[in-house]
Amino acid sequence: MTPGKIPVPTIAPRKVVVLTTLTVRTIRSGRSVENIVHYKHGRGDAPVWVTLMDYFTGEKLVDSLIRPDYTVLDWRTKETGLTQEMMSRAMDNGDRYLDGWEAARDKVWEYIDEDTIVMGHTVCKSLWALRMVHGLVVDLRISIWRYSDYFGFWNIQSEEIHHDIERTLDTLAFDLLGLRIGVRRLISGKPEVAPRDPVEDGLAAREIMTWCMNNREIVTDWWRALKSGYIKQDIPAER
């Protein structure tokens, strides 16, 4: 979606929304050479699930399966919990789903306009997967590293992110809120990493963002301690 051609929402647009997607790796049939190049740069990702919620109320606005437009190379089953058989069965059974990334994008546009703030963890990847261009974006993955004396908006410069101390959403939730997300317990009582839940991820990003804005000094101290190496770099639940 190009700037200046944002659709008019069919309902009252929300002030702030949280966007989360699950993606698979795809390649277009008949254009393998071109798309292998895109694939190497992460551009072969296609969304298979989209969740959109209201930041202030937590209301789920969109929570739907998406049929991939192109041939799937990797379903990323460990992360998405999906396989080709499961997708085919869902469509055969008449389960509700959005027919391709364009339908998913149109659904998201029903709830936002140019004044809506779109936030989330790695939300820039979600926007890319949906081929969306938006001016008001808060990506928690990037914002958390720009936090020094205030919490606000920054220009996105990926090369400036401290990749050596980057924290996943799971680790941010554990570090700042003491929460373990994406982990289910078996009958034996042992924890097992579950596929990602877009709703859980969206709620976690929302809670982390809210907590950070209300605990600026604590977050600043945490960031400095992490950068200095006083906080361990291990992730609580590897996926």
Side-chain angles (χ1 to χ4, degrees), residues 128-141:
W128 179 267
L130 295 172
R131 280 70 162 179
M132 292 178 67
V133 176
H134 193 63
L136 297 176
V137 178
V138 179
D139 194 320
L140 182 59
R141 170 179 170 268

Side-chain angles (χ1 to χ4, degrees), residues 18 29 39 43 48 71 109 117 156 161 194 199 207-208 230:
V18 184
S29 301
Y39 168 77
R43 299 181 183 180
V48 288
T71 302
W109 280 124
I117 297 173
I156 297 172
I161 299 174
V199 174
E207 291 304 311
I208 293 169
Y230 288 107

Side-chain angles (χ1 to χ4, degrees), residues 165-213:
I165 57 173
E166 183 175 347
R167 310 299 264 182
T168 64
L169 180 63
D170 302 11
T171 313
L172 286 173
F174 184 76
D175 281 357
L176 301 176
L177 305 181
L179 297 177
R180 290 185 180 272
I181 64 175
V183 178
R184 61 188 177 194
R185 295 201 170 273
L186 304 179
I187 297 177
S188 62
K190 296 181 179 179
E192 179 185 82
V193 177
R196 299 222 71 97
D197 181 344
V199 174
E200 182 182 50
D201 286 355
L203 288 172
R206 169 177 174 257
E207 291 304 311
I208 293 169
M209 184 68 74
T210 302
W211 191 89
C212 286
M213 288 189 289

Side-chain angles (χ1 to χ4, degrees), residues 1-2 26 28 43 45-47 69-70 101 105 109 126-133:
M1 185 62 63
T2 57
T26 65
R28 295 189 189 183
R43 299 181 183 180
D45 287 0
D69 293 277
Y70 311 122
W101 63 265
R105 183 181 63 184
W109 280 124
S126 295
L127 291 170
W128 179 267
L130 295 172
R131 280 70 162 179
M132 292 178 67
V133 176

Side-chain angles (χ1 to χ4, degrees), residues 17-23 46-53 60-67 80 82 87 96-109 111 118 123 125-127 129-130 132 196-199 202:
V17 295
V18 184
L19 176 65
T20 308
T21 59
L22 294 178
T23 62
V48 288
W49 198 283
V50 59
T51 296
L52 188 75
M53 63 181 63
K60 282 194 299 183
L61 307 173
V62 181
D63 187 33
S64 179
L65 183 70
I66 306 170
R67 182 190 65 79
T80 66
L82 296 172
M87 178 65 73
R96 296 172 63 181
Y97 65 91
L98 295 170
D99 194 16
W101 63 265
E102 289 187 84
R105 183 181 63 184
D106 291 344
K107 193 67 177 176
V108 171
W109 280 124
Y111 296 93
V118 179
V123 70
K125 291 183 178 180
S126 295
L127 291 170
L130 295 172
M132 292 178 67
R196 299 222 71 97
D197 181 344
V199 174

Side-chain angles (χ1 to χ4, degrees), residues 140-178:
L140 182 59
R141 170 179 170 268
I142 297 172
S143 298
I144 201 72
W145 306 126
R146 306 295 176 83
Y147 195 115
S148 55
D149 296 322
Y150 62 92
F151 199 88
F153 299 91
W154 297 269
N155 291 326
I156 297 172
Q157 299 289 338
S158 60
E159 64 272 15
E160 296 179 10
I161 299 174
H162 295 273
H163 292 289
D164 56 327
I165 57 173
E166 183 175 347
R167 310 299 264 182
T168 64
L169 180 63
D170 302 11
T171 313
L172 286 173
F174 184 76
D175 281 357
L176 301 176
L177 305 181

